[in-house]
Amino acid sequence: MVQRAGSADLPLHGGRVPRWLGDRMTKLGAVITEAIVLHYGRDELLSRLAHPFWFQSFGSVMGMDWHSSGITTSVIGALKRGLTPMSGELGIHVCGGRGRNSRQTPDELIAIGNRVGIDGLALAKTSRLVAKVDSAAVQDGFDLYLHGFIVTDDGKWVVVQQGMNGDRKQARRYHWQSQGLKSFVDSPHAAIEGRGQGDIVNLADHRAEASRHGQLDLLASLGPDRIVREVIAIDPGRQRKKDLSQPILPHLIMPDHHDVRQEDVNMRRLHGTLAAAADRGPKDFEDLLLTPGVGARTVSALALVAEVVHGAPCRFSDPARFSLAHGGKDRHPFPVPIRVYDETIRVMKSAVGKARLGRDEEMQALRRLDDQARQLEKYVTGPDLKEIVAGEFSHSHEWGGRSVFGWEPAAEDDKRTG
């Protein structure tokens, strides 16, 4: 039985992803997906997408705001744009999206089913049922506005959907996975992300089985009118006894502050990553480093991308760390280094392309970067986060730093503190 994997707070964050970043997110998201499928297969990709901590880190490494609800929309959109042209080759299809796009999901699934030979009508029913559970059976104060459905050619799927609570300026993300799912109304979620809001109505909890059956019995024996009269007669001051059997789950709290602070980052792991890039990079990327534009900074970004591809689930508890690969569109933790980002995409595409032809030297080099980081983090030390971020700002113009506020000026002309 699939159980909830954890929860996290996602502050609502307005604005749109600029075209220059959205296009790069599409390319990087697609090539990271390809790398995971090549190494581990499609089932592993679905498991990653169903893991809330990995999903947030995935969006962070692509330059999206590391803490915000916008990661959900931008990641689903980037994957849909990037993977649709390769759906025939990879056997992975991304449907749905935000608002109007979410309502088109059943039709998209039926069309995919007709094209690849799976039961599209059953998938369309699943899509509607999953949305109904999280909007009606789970009444937690969050209204659904995004529904993403990722399905493979063999009919396995993941659903990522999100609701918002405008009054609290918070969002909650719900993760579902077909693997191991036995019931849509008996603890079906792979994960739910969001701050606890007190007592809620959750008829999809396994402990509500008696309640679900009781409601059907009441409807059959009393009818809707008498049920309403009985509810009105109930003493409003009566308190329902709390059920303390809810298991303790991992809870990722995404803070309201936009800037990346040292407490948001596992510095031991970050120092390991930076040390691995400095030590392993020159050995594994000797020829690559001779290419203009590729240097130690690109290898550092590649080390964080490599962790997204190869890292174990326990390593994604601090999504802020992955924002240090390519920054953020709002200059947090620093402007997006466009030249570094483009080189990351180019190296990843080269590695994946060669691996498809049976030449996996570059893919193995990326794997060694990740392995080395895990070894070095046991004892290596380094500068604090403020010093690392200050160094990024000092080179931002050189690396093509860009944000929603424009291109970064040369350091001597930049009067902002960052």
Side-chain angles (χ1 to χ4, degrees):
M1 179 73 66
V2 171
Q3 302 292 331
R4 293 175 185 168
S7 59
D9 296 333
L10 299 170
L12 282 173
H13 192 196
R16 300 179 65 87
V17 179
R19 178 69 177 271
W20 56 265
L21 178 59
D23 289 346
R24 288 174 171 85
M25 290 182 68
T26 296
K27 295 174 183 176
L28 185 58
V31 76
I32 288 176
T33 298
E34 284 187 88
I36 293 171
V37 172
L38 274 174
H39 265 281
Y40 303 108
R42 294 184 306 208
D43 289 357
E44 176 62 19
L45 174 67
L46 295 183
S47 294
R48 303 280 186 93
L49 292 170
H51 194 292
F53 302 97
W54 184 88
F55 191 97
Q56 198 78 11
S57 300
F58 184 37
S60 297
V61 88
M62 291 195 287
M64 189 55 193
D65 302 309
W66 65 277
H67 71 141
S68 78
S69 60
I71 274 185
T72 313
T73 305
S74 58
V75 168
I76 294 296
L79 290 180
K80 189 170 186 177
R81 294 189 302 270
L83 297 184
T84 295
M86 299 185 292
S87 60
E89 182 180 1
L90 291 180
I92 300 169
H93 313 268
V94 183
C95 306
R98 181 173 181 168
R100 177 173 53 86
N101 292 323
S102 70
R103 295 187 289 273
Q104 296 174 348
T105 307
D107 292 337
E108 292 179 274
L109 291 168
I110 291 171
I112 290 168
N114 292 335
R115 189 165 66 248
V116 305
I118 56 179
D119 192 343
L121 287 172
L123 290 170
K125 181 179 179 181
T126 294
S127 171
R128 295 188 184 98
L129 187 54
V130 166
K132 278 294 185 182
V133 168
D134 285 341
S135 61
V138 179
Q139 298 177 28
D140 55 3
F142 291 81
D143 297 324
L144 292 185
Y145 67 94
L146 179 145
H147 177 84
F149 198 114
I150 300 96
V151 63
T152 61
D153 278 357
D154 53 0
K156 298 176 182 177
W157 52 264
V158 161
V159 170
V160 179
Q161 52 189 11
Q162 187 157 287
M164 72 164 66
N165 185 316
D167 293 338
R168 295 187 175 95
K169 296 184 179 180
Q170 293 174 352
R172 174 164 291 167
R173 191 165 69 226
Y174 309 82
H175 293 250
W176 294 65
Q177 186 176 8
S178 61
Q179 184 177 356
L181 182 65
K182 297 178 181 179
S183 170
F184 285 94
V185 293
D186 192 352
S187 297
H189 298 96
I192 297 178
E193 291 192 73
R195 184 188 300 273
Q197 303 291 339
D199 290 342
I200 68 171
V201 176
N202 184 2
L203 296 176
D205 192 285
H206 74 280
R207 296 165 296 174
E209 181 179 6
S211 177
R212 292 193 296 268
H213 289 301
Q215 289 176 57
L216 293 175
D217 292 340
L218 283 173
L219 186 61
S221 62
L222 300 181
D225 292 339
R226 187 174 172 187
I227 290 174
V228 171
R229 290 196 299 270
E230 294 292 336
V231 169
I232 293 174
I234 294 176
D235 179 6
R238 182 180 176 185
Q239 296 296 317
R240 176 174 55 84
K241 183 178 180 181
K242 293 181 181 293
D243 184 347
L244 300 178
S245 62
Q246 173 69 39
I248 298 175
L249 300 174
H251 184 63
L252 174 63
I253 298 176
M254 303 309 297
D256 291 331
H257 60 262
H258 201 163
D259 57 311
V260 178
R261 302 174 185 176
Q262 186 141 325
E263 59 265 28
D264 301 320
V265 175
N266 186 322
M267 293 302 294
R268 177 174 54 82
R269 289 177 179 168
L270 178 59
H271 289 149
T273 298
L274 297 177
D279 180 64
R280 187 85 259 164
K283 296 180 176 66
D284 278 337
F285 296 96
E286 182 175 346
D287 293 336
L288 178 65
L289 292 174
L290 296 177
T291 305
V294 178
R297 179 60 181 84
T298 299
V299 178
S300 296
L302 285 167
L304 286 163
V305 170
E307 186 172 351
V308 169
V309 173
H310 298 292
C314 64
R315 298 186 62 81
F316 299 100
S317 58
D318 58 336
R321 179 163 53 94
F322 295 89
S323 69
L324 294 165
H326 299 118
K329 67 180 181 64
D330 290 346
R331 286 181 105 232
H332 295 289
F334 45 79
V336 177
I338 295 296
R339 294 192 181 99
V340 172
Y341 204 136
D342 289 344
E343 285 303 317
T344 301
I345 294 171
R346 187 184 68 77
V347 172
M348 289 298 297
K349 282 188 172 182
S350 173
V352 169
K354 290 177 181 177
R356 287 187 175 279
L357 299 175
R359 297 164 51 201
D360 65 347
E361 303 89 17
E362 291 178 14
M363 290 289 283
Q364 290 302 321
L366 290 168
R367 179 67 180 268
R368 286 193 292 272
L369 261 183
D370 184 54
D371 290 341
Q372 182 81 341
R374 299 183 203 196
Q375 293 298 318
L376 290 173
E377 71 183 33
K378 297 175 183 177
Y379 56 85
V380 74
T381 59
D384 64 22
L385 184 63
K386 287 184 178 180
E387 187 175 345
I388 293 171
V389 171
E392 291 288 338
F393 271 98
S394 69
H395 290 284
S396 188
H397 176 74
E398 172 190 346
W399 292 331
R402 191 175 184 181
S403 69
V404 295
F405 306 109
W407 295 94
E408 288 296 301
E412 60 268 24
D413 299 326
D414 190 359
K415 305 301 182 183
R416 291 170 293 185
T417 61

